Amino acid sequence: MYVLTIDQRGSTADVDRVPDLIAALRSLTSEPFERSVGDELQGVVERAEEVVEIVLYALRSGRWYVGIGIGAVQLTPGGSPREGSGSGFVAARKAVELAKGSAGQVPLSVVSGSIGRGREMPPHAKEGAMTSANAQAVLRLIGRLVQQRTPAQWRVVDRLRARQGSDGKHGSQKHVARELGITEQSVSRAVLRSGWQEEWAARPAAAMLLDYAHSQIEGDR
Protein backbone atom coordinates (compact mmCIF):
# COMPACT_ATOMS: atom_id res chain seq x y z
CA MET A 1 0.00 0.00 0.00
CA TYR A 2 1.03 3.60 -0.55
CA VAL A 3 0.37 6.28 2.05
CA LEU A 4 0.19 9.83 0.71
CA THR A 5 0.58 12.78 3.05
CA ILE A 6 0.01 16.15 1.36
CA ASP A 7 0.60 19.43 3.19
CA GLN A 8 -0.34 22.92 2.00
CA ARG A 9 2.56 25.26 1.26
CA GLY A 10 2.50 28.73 2.81
CA SER A 11 -0.79 27.98 4.55
CA THR A 12 -0.38 30.72 7.15
CA ALA A 13 -0.62 33.37 4.41
CA ASP A 14 -3.22 31.59 2.30
CA VAL A 15 -6.77 30.29 2.50
CA ASP A 16 -7.46 26.72 3.56
CA ARG A 17 -7.24 24.71 0.34
CA VAL A 18 -7.62 21.24 1.88
CA PRO A 19 -11.39 20.83 1.25
CA ASP A 20 -11.02 21.71 -2.44
CA LEU A 21 -8.15 19.26 -2.95
CA ILE A 22 -10.05 16.47 -1.16
CA ALA A 23 -13.04 17.12 -3.43
CA ALA A 24 -10.85 17.13 -6.55
CA LEU A 25 -9.17 13.84 -5.61
CA ARG A 26 -12.56 12.07 -5.58
CA SER A 27 -12.46 12.18 -9.38
CA LEU A 28 -8.98 10.61 -9.45
CA THR A 29 -9.34 7.77 -6.96
CA SER A 30 -11.98 5.83 -5.08
CA GLU A 31 -9.75 5.81 -2.00
CA PRO A 32 -10.77 8.34 0.66
CA PHE A 33 -8.54 11.29 1.52
CA GLU A 34 -9.16 13.14 4.77
CA ARG A 35 -7.73 16.06 6.66
CA SER A 36 -5.19 14.63 9.09
CA VAL A 37 -3.99 17.70 10.98
CA GLY A 38 -3.91 21.42 10.22
CA ASP A 39 -3.62 22.09 6.50
CA GLU A 40 -2.67 18.51 5.69
CA LEU A 41 -4.54 15.60 4.13
CA GLN A 42 -3.78 11.91 3.97
CA GLY A 43 -4.94 8.85 2.09
CA VAL A 44 -4.01 5.21 1.49
CA VAL A 45 -3.87 4.18 -2.18
CA GLU A 46 -3.54 0.66 -3.54
CA ARG A 47 -2.57 1.22 -7.18
CA ALA A 48 0.69 2.86 -8.25
CA GLU A 49 -0.95 4.42 -11.32
CA GLU A 50 -3.37 6.29 -9.05
CA VAL A 51 -0.48 7.46 -6.90
CA VAL A 52 1.18 9.00 -9.95
CA GLU A 53 -2.10 10.66 -10.99
CA ILE A 54 -2.70 12.13 -7.54
CA VAL A 55 0.87 13.33 -7.08
CA LEU A 56 1.02 15.14 -10.41
CA TYR A 57 -2.37 16.75 -9.82
CA ALA A 58 -1.20 18.09 -6.46
CA LEU A 59 2.12 19.32 -7.88
CA ARG A 60 0.38 21.11 -10.73
CA SER A 61 -0.68 24.12 -8.68
CA GLY A 62 2.62 24.48 -6.80
CA ARG A 63 0.67 24.77 -3.53
CA TRP A 64 1.46 21.41 -1.94
CA TYR A 65 4.24 19.36 -0.38
CA VAL A 66 3.79 15.70 -1.29
CA GLY A 67 5.09 12.72 0.66
CA ILE A 68 4.74 9.09 -0.47
CA GLY A 69 5.36 6.33 2.06
CA ILE A 70 5.73 2.73 0.88
CA GLY A 71 5.31 0.07 3.52
CA ALA A 72 3.04 -1.98 5.72
CA VAL A 73 -0.40 -0.53 6.46
CA GLN A 74 -2.82 -1.60 9.16
CA LEU A 75 -6.21 -0.19 8.30
CA THR A 76 -9.66 -1.72 8.67
CA PRO A 77 -11.66 -1.99 5.41
CA GLY A 78 -13.42 1.29 4.86
CA GLY A 79 -11.63 2.80 7.84
CA SER A 80 -10.38 6.36 8.11
CA PRO A 81 -6.73 6.99 7.19
CA ARG A 82 -6.48 8.77 10.55
CA GLU A 83 -7.00 5.40 12.24
CA GLY A 84 -4.25 3.63 10.28
CA SER A 85 -0.84 2.53 11.48
CA GLY A 86 2.24 0.78 10.15
CA SER A 87 5.56 1.56 8.53
CA GLY A 88 3.85 3.09 5.49
CA PHE A 89 2.41 5.89 7.65
CA VAL A 90 5.76 6.49 9.35
CA ALA A 91 7.46 6.64 5.96
CA ALA A 92 4.85 9.08 4.58
CA ARG A 93 5.40 11.41 7.53
CA LYS A 94 9.13 11.39 6.92
CA ALA A 95 8.56 11.87 3.18
CA VAL A 96 6.45 15.00 3.52
CA GLU A 97 8.98 16.51 5.95
CA LEU A 98 11.75 15.82 3.44
CA ALA A 99 9.62 17.42 0.72
CA LYS A 100 9.39 20.56 2.84
CA GLY A 101 13.17 20.69 3.01
CA SER A 102 13.72 20.20 -0.72
CA ALA A 103 14.53 23.85 -1.40
CA GLY A 104 14.70 24.62 -5.11
CA GLN A 105 13.49 21.14 -6.05
CA VAL A 106 10.06 19.76 -6.82
CA PRO A 107 8.48 19.39 -3.33
CA LEU A 108 7.97 15.64 -3.43
CA SER A 109 9.67 12.75 -1.64
CA VAL A 110 9.27 8.97 -1.66
CA VAL A 111 10.37 7.08 1.45
CA SER A 112 10.68 3.35 1.98
CA GLY A 113 9.19 1.82 5.10
CA SER A 114 11.79 -0.96 5.06
CA ILE A 115 12.82 -2.53 8.35
CA GLY A 116 16.40 -2.05 9.48
CA ARG A 117 19.14 0.37 8.54
CA GLY A 118 22.37 0.09 6.59
CA ARG A 119 24.02 -3.32 6.85
CA GLU A 120 21.13 -4.60 8.97
CA MET A 121 18.72 -4.32 6.04
CA PRO A 122 18.07 -7.53 4.07
CA PRO A 123 18.87 -7.34 0.33
CA HIS A 124 15.24 -6.95 -0.76
CA ALA A 125 14.77 -4.08 1.69
CA LYS A 126 17.84 -2.30 0.33
CA GLU A 127 16.49 -2.86 -3.19
CA GLY A 128 13.16 -1.37 -2.12
CA ALA A 129 14.82 1.71 -0.63
CA MET A 130 16.95 2.23 -3.74
CA THR A 131 13.97 1.83 -6.06
CA SER A 132 11.96 4.29 -3.94
CA ALA A 133 14.73 6.84 -4.54
CA ASN A 134 14.60 6.10 -8.27
CA ALA A 135 10.81 6.54 -8.29
CA GLN A 136 11.26 9.87 -6.52
CA ALA A 137 13.74 11.03 -9.17
CA VAL A 138 11.39 10.17 -12.04
CA LEU A 139 8.38 11.76 -10.34
CA ARG A 140 10.36 14.94 -9.70
CA LEU A 141 11.35 15.13 -13.36
CA ILE A 142 7.74 14.73 -14.48
CA GLY A 143 6.64 17.12 -11.74
CA ARG A 144 8.99 19.77 -13.08
CA LEU A 145 7.32 19.52 -16.50
CA VAL A 146 3.91 19.83 -14.89
CA GLN A 147 4.85 22.82 -12.74
CA GLN A 148 6.44 24.78 -15.57
CA ARG A 149 3.41 24.75 -17.88
CA THR A 150 1.76 28.05 -18.68
CA PRO A 151 -2.01 28.57 -18.38
CA ALA A 152 -2.25 28.56 -22.20
CA GLN A 153 -0.44 25.23 -22.37
CA TRP A 154 -2.71 23.78 -19.70
CA ARG A 155 -5.80 24.78 -21.69
CA VAL A 156 -4.52 22.72 -24.62
CA VAL A 157 -3.29 19.81 -22.48
CA ASP A 158 -6.55 19.60 -20.52
CA ARG A 159 -8.64 19.55 -23.71
CA LEU A 160 -6.45 16.87 -25.26
CA ARG A 161 -6.75 14.69 -22.20
CA ALA A 162 -10.52 15.23 -22.01
CA ARG A 163 -10.74 13.76 -25.50
CA GLN A 164 -8.71 10.68 -24.53
CA GLY A 165 -10.58 7.47 -25.34
CA SER A 166 -10.71 4.16 -23.55
CA ASP A 167 -8.07 2.85 -25.96
CA GLY A 168 -5.55 5.21 -24.38
CA LYS A 169 -5.05 7.34 -27.50
CA HIS A 170 -5.16 11.08 -26.97
CA GLY A 171 -7.59 13.38 -28.73
CA SER A 172 -7.06 15.01 -32.07
CA GLN A 173 -5.16 18.30 -32.11
CA LYS A 174 -7.43 19.45 -34.94
CA HIS A 175 -10.53 19.05 -32.77
CA VAL A 176 -8.88 20.80 -29.83
CA ALA A 177 -7.82 23.70 -32.05
CA ARG A 178 -11.42 24.06 -33.21
CA GLU A 179 -12.77 23.93 -29.64
CA LEU A 180 -10.33 26.58 -28.42
CA GLY A 181 -10.58 28.76 -31.50
CA ILE A 182 -6.85 28.61 -32.24
CA THR A 183 -4.73 27.17 -35.04
CA GLU A 184 -3.49 23.60 -35.19
CA GLN A 185 0.03 25.01 -35.21
CA SER A 186 -0.65 26.71 -31.87
CA VAL A 187 -1.88 23.44 -30.42
CA SER A 188 1.17 21.63 -31.77
CA ARG A 189 3.54 24.21 -30.25
CA ALA A 190 1.76 24.00 -26.89
CA VAL A 191 2.07 20.21 -26.87
CA LEU A 192 5.76 20.40 -27.75
CA ARG A 193 6.68 23.09 -25.23
CA SER A 194 4.57 21.64 -22.42
CA GLY A 195 6.38 18.29 -22.44
CA TRP A 196 2.97 16.61 -22.45
CA GLN A 197 4.00 13.65 -24.57
CA GLU A 198 7.12 13.15 -22.47
CA GLU A 199 5.01 13.21 -19.31
CA TRP A 200 2.68 10.49 -20.56
CA ALA A 201 5.58 8.39 -21.80
CA ALA A 202 7.23 8.60 -18.36
CA ARG A 203 4.17 7.99 -16.18
CA PRO A 204 4.26 4.18 -16.63
CA ALA A 205 7.95 4.19 -15.67
CA ALA A 206 7.18 6.00 -12.42
CA ALA A 207 4.33 3.59 -11.64
CA MET A 208 6.53 0.58 -12.43
CA LEU A 209 9.25 1.80 -10.06
CA LEU A 210 6.69 2.36 -7.29
CA ASP A 211 5.28 -1.12 -7.89
CA TYR A 212 8.70 -2.73 -7.76
CA ALA A 213 9.69 -0.81 -4.63
CA HIS A 214 6.45 -1.94 -3.03
CA SER A 215 7.06 -5.59 -3.90
CA GLN A 216 10.53 -5.47 -2.33
CA ILE A 217 9.49 -3.55 0.78
CA GLU A 218 6.53 -5.84 1.40
CA GLY A 219 9.08 -8.65 1.58
CA ASP A 220 10.05 -7.24 4.99
CA ARG A 221 6.84 -8.72 6.31
Side-chain angles (χ1 to χ4, degrees), residues 94-114:
K94 182 178 180 181
V96 79
E97 294 303 325
L98 288 172
K100 293 177 184 178
S102 58
Q105 299 182 24
V106 173
L108 168 142
S109 287
V110 182
V111 172
S112 159
S114 296

Side-chain angles (χ1 to χ4, degrees), residues 101-176:
S102 58
Q105 299 182 24
V106 173
L108 168 142
S109 287
V110 182
V111 172
S112 159
S114 296
I115 296 173
R117 293 291 182 271
R119 295 180 180 178
E120 299 177 0
M121 293 175 68
H124 58 81
K126 291 181 181 179
E127 184 78 5
M130 183 179 69
T131 309
S132 295
N134 290 339
Q136 172 181 289
V138 173
L139 284 169
R140 282 183 174 179
L141 281 172
I142 307 172
R144 181 70 69 189
L145 288 175
V146 167
Q147 288 190 329
Q148 289 179 340
R149 284 184 189 142
T150 66
Q153 289 168 356
W154 272 117
R155 281 194 292 273
V156 170
V157 166
D158 286 339
R159 288 297 183 97
L160 281 169
R161 189 172 184 195
R163 298 187 63 86
Q164 181 178 350
S166 59
D167 58 358
K169 294 181 180 179
H170 295 291
S172 163
Q173 294 185 16
K174 180 184 294 185
H175 288 128
V176 169

Side-chain angles (χ1 to χ4, degrees), residues 26 57 74 78 99 128 140 149 153 164 172 200 204 207 213 218 220:
R26 292 194 188 107
Y57 183 86
Q74 285 82 50
R140 282 183 174 179
R149 284 184 189 142
Q153 289 168 356
Q164 181 178 350
S172 163
W200 280 89
E218 284 292 284
D220 290 347

